[in-house]
Amino acid sequence: MLQPNRQAILLFDIVLYTYTVGVPATTSHSRNPSMLKVAVGHSNDPDSESAIDIVVEQCRSSLEGVAPKAGILFASSDFDLEVLLQRIHQTWDNLELIGCSTNGEISSVMAFQQDSAMLVLFCGDTVEIAAGVGRNVSKDPVAATREAIDKARSKLNSRDPKLCLVTPESLTTSGVSIIDGLSRELGENFPIFGGAAGNASNQAQTFQFFNTEVLSDAVPVLLFAGNIHFSHGIACGWNPLGNQSRVTRSQKNRVETIDDRPAIDFYEYYLGTRTHSVEYPIAIFEADGNFYLRAPQSWDEEDGSITFFADVPENATIQITEASRDNILAAAEESLDRALESYPGEQPEAALFFTCAFRKYILGTRTKEEYELVRDRFTQSLPSGGFYTNGEISPIAPGTPTRFHNETFVTLLLGSQ
Amino acid sequence: MADNTEKIEELEKQNRILQKKLARSEDDRARMEETKERSESLLRTVVRDLRNSQEVLEQKNTELASTLAQLQTTQDQLVESEKMAALGQLVAGIAHEINTPLGAIRSSVDNIADFLSDRLMVLPDFFQSLSGDREEDFLKLLQISLQQDTSLSSREKRQIKKHLKAQLQEKNIDNADSLASTLANIGVRHSIDPFLGLLGDREGKTILEMAYQFASLQKSTRTIITGSDRAAKVIFALKSYARYDRSGATVQANPIDGIETVLTLYHNQLKQGVEVVRNYEDIPSISCYPDELNQVWTNLIHNALQAMHHQGTLTIDVCQKEGAIAVSITDSGTGIPEDIKAKIFQPFFTTKPPGEGSGLGLDIVRKIVEKHQGAIAIDSVPGNTTFTVSLPITTPEKTHV
């Protein structure tokens, strides 16, 4: 019982999906303006104005005069976020921009950083990209996600989007209800990728970006259509430990009792503290012995309940999990390998990474190795960007519904040849 | 000048970054310390749980060991009670086997005693009263009685009587029916001509009666001989069956003797509707535990009889092949369904209604066969089920299981 379940680990270690969309790959050079091109700027200057100046300048120089269509900004909430957005808007006024506050940033420019700002820009004549946003997602996730998708879709000429990127709120509502809403709009098996907005350790708020707006409780989306190839891989590296327990009362993502005792007793029993500990998610076992992870988001001292980042079914068999730093790092590498193996085109133009903030807490000084391991797999430098999230968004298997994950590393490869 | 300004700006930027990193580093250190504390706590709890689990497992292990010991005792008891139940059935059969001849002996002895008390005193007068011809007739009748075939069926007896009566009536002799019975009982089969003089005599009836008494006496004596022979045979079979070597060592014995012993003990259950076909080749004696092999034959024959509801053909083939003796016991019952074939040697598996079978019979058979380093196989189709026991001709000496 106390042995890690090898079969269960497989669910997270062997996940690999391929989507082949768009026109067939050609042998045209990457400078071909019709192809997807990605530029990245990244600065760790704590001064907002200085930081965004550097970011914009890096992007400009990399774009060589090409106008970007859309972008994603990942930035620490310590910045004056409006300053960042205004500056980007002043530079490229037609840019379809989304993004969110983060818990750490990754890029091909500065590798792993904390308290930095990083911008990813997308260009390409045969690629269509449009942004949308839905607000007040905690009140009505269905309406908010419909609003976001409708807005983005209305700007696309193509009626057939291929891919959705999303950087939603993570604290006010369950990630599962956001994904449910998006899937309702886009189709049950439509591929959606992204990460839930992160927050600084001293803040209980996250921020989402839409063009020049800094929002909370919102769902910004980017829809991609046209000539675009992509593949992805996910892996986590966490293993169950200790005795199995049962969720005896829960409502959506709020677990009231475990083994008929207040849910916070469960964590207190193992961790000796009533502080919720995101780096120790619970494994939720399915009938076949596989499991998925749910990390605690907040706890209620009065009624003893714990709110998780996504739904926890009542009567589920659960177990606390832990991960060694080696396992966490190996999972990142595996995630990338899977994505590379299944890339449908000749070679990707860019990579996006969505990795869990709680991985960072455990990796500590070794956090930088996560990106370094991934970077070293590329034979040549690939424009890349990513962030440490409060929840990762990606399908589990090809052609299956998108899922909300915790403690997971998602690699998304993009290109058009 | 411009260079200096740039340098200062760059230094200021580096300073900002370093200060931010320092602040972040403090935060991170605090967080890592918390994380470490939680990690240590988790480790302690898991180790404590493991210790508890270990204690629980040790306790469970002890309980299981004790339960296992109890189960083994219970199983031994069940095996014993299965043996006792088999013995019980056997004893009931044997009681019948012995009671039947004893009853016949008893009634024959009564018959002889009656004759002695009623007739012995009148015998001298009777013999003196006989004329020369009648004395000859009387002796002829006694001769016929001594030679008479006792194996006639009731139907054959009726036909003889009818034939004799017709002859009597043809000769206009009175009391033809009663006379025909007496003549038939004495053993007259065909013609009454040799006795026409006697039948016409005034004393003829008395002489016939006396001859009949002597014939009964003769018959009773024969019944006593047959009955006591039969009882002796059953007792001998019983002695063979129960032969038990306390040394625990194997002895040389011929399996056919054992099979015949069991068939003798089951004679009564076989004679009403079961045809026994024996296909015995000459086989050598083998080194074995004969009393235990008898249990095997008893069990297989008993099952065979039950499988065909004591109606059908029981075929026993004994042959020698490839250094082994093969004994096949075949019944003409309904057969064993394919899905339960694999289970029938499992302990406690039974198709009999609750309370009738312990499910240990074939388990015991298998164990005994294995103890002889032999093998048992089944081949079953409806109407033809064969259990074949193969026993090596030389079994190495083994300790008693």
Side-chain angles (χ1 to χ4, degrees), chain B residues 56-100:
Chain B
V56 170
L57 282 174
E58 275 166 10
Q59 199 187 330
K60 285 246 165 73
N61 198 26
T62 314
E63 284 169 18
L64 279 173
S66 139
T67 308
L68 183 64
Q70 277 176 12
L71 274 173
Q72 273 165 347
T73 311
T74 311
Q75 189 175 4
D76 289 347
Q77 285 168 353
L78 277 168
V79 168
E80 276 314 305
S81 69
E82 171 68 25
K83 286 180 183 171
M84 291 307 289
L87 192 61
Q89 285 168 340
L90 200 64
V91 166
I94 290 162
H96 191 95
E97 291 294 332
I98 294 174
N99 257 337
T100 308

Side-chain angles (χ1 to χ4, degrees), chain A residues 255-414:
Chain A
V255 174
E256 291 169 11
T257 59
I258 294 170
D259 291 338
D260 292 318
R261 296 177 52 80
I264 54 175
D265 286 7
F266 175 82
Y267 272 100
E268 189 176 15
Y269 175 78
Y270 283 107
L271 305 178
T273 165
R274 292 178 88 83
T275 308
H276 74 294
S277 303
V278 288
E279 65 272 33
Y280 295 105
I282 53 170
I284 297 169
F285 288 88
E286 298 188 305
D288 58 7
N290 288 331
F291 67 83
Y292 54 90
L293 299 177
R294 288 287 180 257
Q297 180 199 87
S298 62
W299 76 107
D300 188 328
E301 193 73 51
E302 278 193 8
D303 69 4
S305 71
I306 297 178
T307 299
F308 286 80
F309 279 99
D311 297 11
V312 176
E314 204 163 81
N315 287 322
T317 300
I318 61 166
Q319 214 171 337
I320 199 165
T321 63
E322 60 84 41
S324 71
R325 299 204 284 183
D326 286 342
N327 284 350
I328 292 174
L329 291 171
E333 211 173 351
E334 196 166 329
S335 155
L336 177 79
D337 284 347
R338 304 287 179 186
L340 277 175
E341 280 165 22
S342 62
Y343 184 69
E346 279 187 7
Q347 60 175 52
E349 291 292 336
L352 294 181
F353 304 109
F354 305 102
T355 171
C356 185
F358 317 142
R359 298 168 67 85
K360 195 186 70 174
Y361 295 155
I362 297 173
L363 288 173
T365 54
R366 292 184 70 186
T367 306
K368 61 180 190 298
E369 290 178 37
E370 200 170 45
Y371 173 72
E372 285 167 3
L373 277 168
V374 162
R375 180 191 61 198
D376 293 347
R377 306 299 275 200
F378 295 123
T379 48
Q380 61 189 67
S381 173
L382 192 70
S384 313
F387 77 106
Y388 283 87
T389 78
N390 273 3
E392 301 72 58
I393 294 163
S394 167
I396 289 182
T400 66
T402 297
R403 294 288 183 219
F404 190 87
H405 310 272
N406 285 140
E407 330 284 350
T408 299
F409 191 97
V410 176
T411 302
L412 175 65
L413 297 177
L414 296 166

Side-chain angles (χ1 to χ4, degrees), chain B residues 331 333-338 341 377-387:
Chain B
D331 68 67
T334 48
I336 303 168
E338 200 59 40
K341 224 180 247 181
I378 333 161
D379 188 19
S380 180
V381 291
N384 208 330
T385 298
T386 304
F387 281 81

Side-chain angles (χ1 to χ4, degrees), chain A residues 2 44-45 47 50 54 78 114-115 201 243 269-272 277 279-280 361, chain B residues 13 16-17 20-21 24 28 31-32 35 38-39 41-42 45-46 48-50:
Chain A
L2 296 166
N44 63 350
D45 190 333
D47 181 80
S50 303
I54 294 166
D78 284 358
Q114 297 188 94
D115 310 307
S201 56
N243 295 323
Y269 175 78
Y270 283 107
L271 305 178
S277 303
E279 65 272 33
Y280 295 105
Y361 295 155
Chain B
K13 178 187 163 191
R16 283 197 301 272
I17 292 170
K20 187 79 188 176
K21 281 197 170 163
R24 168 63 86 165
D28 284 353
R31 183 179 277 280
M32 288 299 286
T35 304
R38 289 200 283 263
S39 165
S41 170
L42 176 65
T45 308
V46 168
R48 191 181 65 213
D49 281 357
L50 274 175

Side-chain angles (χ1 to χ4, degrees), chain B residues 287-322:
Chain B
S287 168
C288 62
Y289 304 95
D291 56 320
E292 295 193 22
L293 283 184
N294 283 349
Q295 273 187 50
V296 172
W297 314 134
T298 305
N299 221 303
L300 294 180
I301 289 170
H302 186 80
N303 282 352
L305 294 179
Q306 283 199 325
M308 52 188 184
H309 304 291
H310 295 84
Q311 299 292 320
T313 308
L314 178 71
T315 309
I316 302 176
D317 297 271
V318 180
C319 62
Q320 179 182 347
K321 53 182 168 190
E322 292 161 10

